[in-house]
Amino acid sequence: MKVIIVGSGGREYSIARALSGEEKVKKIYFAPGNGATEDISQKIENIDIKDFEKLASFAKQNCVDLTIVGPEAPLVNGIVDVFKSHRLTIFGPSANAARLEGSKVYMKNFLKKYKIPTAKYVESDNKDELYSFIDTLPSPIVVKADGLCGGKGVIIAKTHDEAKEAVDGMLSGDSFGEAGKKVIVEEFLDGFELSLFAICDGEDFKLLPAAQDHKRLKDGDEGPNTGGMGAYAPTPLVNEDIYEQVRQNVIKPTLKGMREEGCPFEGVLFIGLMVVNGEAKVLEYNVRFGDPECEILMPLIKSSVYDLFYKGATKDLDSLDIEIDDRYGVCVVAASRHYPYKSSVPAEIVMDKVVHKDLEDNAHIVYAGVDKEDDKLFATGGRVLLAVGLGNSIKEARDRAYLMMGQIHFEGKQYRNDIAYQALR
Ligand code: AMP
Ligand code: GLY
């Protein structure tokens, strides 16, 4: 089988790594990949990944069996629609289905229509309407821009005045341009947050182990928000009752609702969940894997990852049993010196020569923001790489991830020391 992976980060590297371990996967192409993906794949040269028609021609000419899309932007921009119009097999949602991530207003109205539990809200482009709703809520108050804002479009306002200021900034276009022209004000949910991932084929789904991300830069959840500094799975904070609530009250009505809306959901449904007093409520949907959550879920899938994605793309999940490793996974992100504020000077990545014996089968590195020059790897992106550890307990997995992290060196390397603390305290 031949596969194209679209994307260039750790998420896409980890998918390629999982596929490259499968006998039936003979060739992986990357569009565009990073400096380390060429070790396990071939870069598609001279095609802009925004040019979906050219990518589709490449897939046809090279008899590619399956295309997997990592990031949200190409999905929201219709890569799946273009590939399907050429009768190519691609795993991901159509542009219409990707509105679940592309527009928070669409997502909230969808949740309301299909009675899926979520925070109470008002959406509007009218300041007075938003202000009136703010006045009915206790603080803190959540204000969200409608469109894609690279993870920055959510403001948790401590006071009513701050919430109103956030609304003004968004509506005027000052804060987020077009993405803020419609605004959501919603109640603050006080609970614990989980990331859940369902592989969907429009009708059926496979739910993967619940993960927890660490969005802040610094230990103890301090410092600025980032794309995610580490993750672990499965988290002991979730139990069968929560999984069942998610299956029955969230995923099933979502798949049914999307069919009724005329845009069946195929691809990864990423459910950002808040559990409030034992009740699971949807904070947001994304239409792709989380990064870094993907990097620990991939090594925990024991059955074929190719089959999972292929059957997801061909409405055949019903016929598939998946097997999940009973171990735990922890991944820790190493970021560059100035992340997330600005770019840093490229720094050579050097590994200890001797890999600790305990790490050989229980840990690995996932590469993200790296470039290769003269056979040397350089840290060039914000999130540079991840140390992944597996173990029979979260503690064992975490110790291995940190042992691995200690064997990797580059100037300015920064990482959190407390990944998975919620599970270990
Ligand atoms: P979102 O992009 O909607 O997931 O929001 C980003 C982050 O803001 C989430 O991961 C939560 O930590 C927080 N957040 C969003 N909505 C709420 C809410 N209604 N109550 C509490 N926290 C929220
Ligand atoms: N780790 C969160 C995200 O990918 O959006």
Side-chain angles (χ1 to χ4, degrees):
M1 302 299 172
K2 293 181 175 180
V3 181
I4 295 176
I5 299 176
V6 179
S8 62
R11 168 179 51 204
E12 291 77 23
Y13 183 99
S14 73
I15 294 172
R17 185 181 176 278
L19 293 174
S20 66
E22 291 189 33
E23 187 75 24
K24 64 168 103 105
V25 179
K26 301 295 182 206
K27 180 105 197 171
I28 301 173
Y29 295 102
F30 247 103
N34 62 45
T37 50
E38 60 195 64
D39 296 342
I40 45 176
S41 68
Q42 184 183 325
K43 182 181 168 72
I44 300 178
E45 301 285 353
N46 306 324
I47 298 182
D48 180 350
I49 76 156
K50 294 197 186 100
D51 193 337
F52 303 150
E53 287 289 347
K54 273 207 181 132
L55 263 185
S57 301
F58 178 93
K60 261 193 185 162
Q61 278 158 17
N62 292 279
C63 304
V64 169
D65 300 279
L66 174 66
T67 298
I68 299 166
V69 186
E72 64 276 17
L75 295 167
V76 170
N77 293 328
I79 190 171
V80 169
D81 307 76
V82 171
F83 271 58
K84 284 194 170 169
S85 73
H86 291 283
R87 297 174 175 275
L88 289 160
T89 304
I90 181 164
F91 178 68
S94 65
N96 272 342
R99 282 179 296 175
L100 283 181
E101 173 163 0
S103 165
K104 288 193 193 299
V105 168
Y106 176 84
M107 185 262 301
K108 289 293 287 192
N109 290 341
F110 174 86
L111 294 178
K112 187 166 163 187
K113 180 169 174 188
Y114 293 96
K115 303 193 169 55
I116 297 163
T118 188
K120 274 194 301 204
Y121 74 103
V122 158
E123 56 90 355
S124 181
D125 55 8
N126 178 296
K127 181 163 128 176
D128 295 334
E129 226 175 293
L130 295 163
Y131 274 25
S132 312
F133 187 59
I134 287 173
D135 288 333
T136 69
L137 293 174
S139 57
I141 295 160
V142 184
V143 183
K144 298 183 176 181
D146 176 37
L148 290 179
C149 301
K152 299 197 172 66
V154 175
I155 290 171
I156 314 273
K158 289 196 189 72
T159 63
H160 291 75
D161 286 345
E162 209 182 294
K164 289 176 184 173
E165 264 170 47
V167 164
D168 291 346
M170 289 184 193
L171 287 182
S172 66
D174 287 350
S175 307
F176 303 109
E178 278 302 308
K181 287 293 170 74
K182 270 199 166 184
V183 173
I184 291 167
V185 171
E186 67 180 34
E187 66 172 330
F188 178 80
L189 298 177
D190 196 4
F192 63 87
E193 233 178 305
L194 298 174
S195 303
L196 276 146
F197 299 89
I199 307 294
C200 304
D201 71 359
E203 186 96 29
D204 291 299
F205 66 92
K206 301 287 170 194
L207 185 57
L208 301 179
Q212 235 184 352
D213 184 14
H214 298 62
K215 291 204 170 100
R216 301 297 194 99
L217 182 71
K218 302 271 186 201
D219 288 7
D221 294 325
E222 303 277 339
N225 255 322
T226 70
M229 294 300 289
Y232 70 97
T235 162
L237 298 176
V238 71
N239 55 27
E240 188 45 40
D241 175 52
I242 293 172
Y243 280 125
E244 195 53 17
Q245 284 186 46
V246 171
R247 286 187 203 101
Q248 300 305 333
N249 307 342
V250 178
I251 304 174
K252 282 189 182 170
T254 296
L255 293 182
K256 183 164 176 283
M258 291 302 275
R259 288 197 301 274
E260 283 173 22
E261 297 297 309
C263 42
F265 189 87
E266 297 169 18
V268 182
L269 183 67
F270 169 172
I271 306 157
L273 202 71
M274 188 73 91
V275 180
V276 186
N277 299 324
E279 198 193 337
K281 297 190 179 194
V282 176
L283 280 182
E284 65 159 348
Y285 280 146
N286 295 304
V287 298
R288 41 135 185 118
F289 269 116
D291 187 351
E293 292 95 323
C294 186
E295 288 91 316
I296 35 150
L297 292 174
M298 284 301 120
L300 291 178
I301 301 175
K302 276 174 96 172
S303 44
S304 164
V305 167
Y306 179 86
D307 287 353
L308 183 60
F309 292 150
Y310 186 79
K311 285 178 182 277
T314 53
K315 299 191 178 49
D316 196 20
L317 279 179
D318 190 30
S319 72
L320 183 74
D321 282 324
I322 61 167
E323 196 188 343
I324 302 292
D325 203 319
D326 51 18
R327 289 180 298 170
Y328 294 84
V330 173
C331 68
V332 182
V333 172
S336 55
R337 187 191 303 276
H338 300 299
Y339 181 75
Y341 300 107
K342 56 177 190 177
S343 56
S344 310
V345 177
E348 188 183 345
I349 300 168
V350 182
M351 298 285 307
D352 285 351
K353 292 239 158 22
V354 184
V355 175
H356 195 289
K357 264 224 135 2
D358 188 39
L359 299 181
E360 280 169 7
D361 298 321
N362 298 304
H364 59 267
I365 301 171
V366 165
Y367 291 98
V370 300
D371 279 324
K372 195 177 241 178
E373 218 171 279
D374 299 332
D375 251 7
K376 290 181 183 157
L377 272 186
F378 289 85
T380 49
R383 290 187 291 173
V384 174
L385 53 81
L386 300 93
V388 180
L390 300 170
N392 291 321
S393 64
I394 291 176
K395 182 169 183 317
E396 192 176 50
R398 169 161 124 156
D399 288 348
R400 285 175 175 148
Y402 279 110
L403 197 55
M404 183 57 115
M405 186 57 98
Q407 298 210 299
I408 308 164
H409 314 280
F410 63 88
E411 279 269 319
K413 176 177 101 169
Q414 54 164 337
Y415 59 94
R416 277 181 64 157
N417 293 287
D418 65 345
I419 300 302
Y421 77 90
Q422 301 97 321
L424 292 172
R425 70 180 156 202

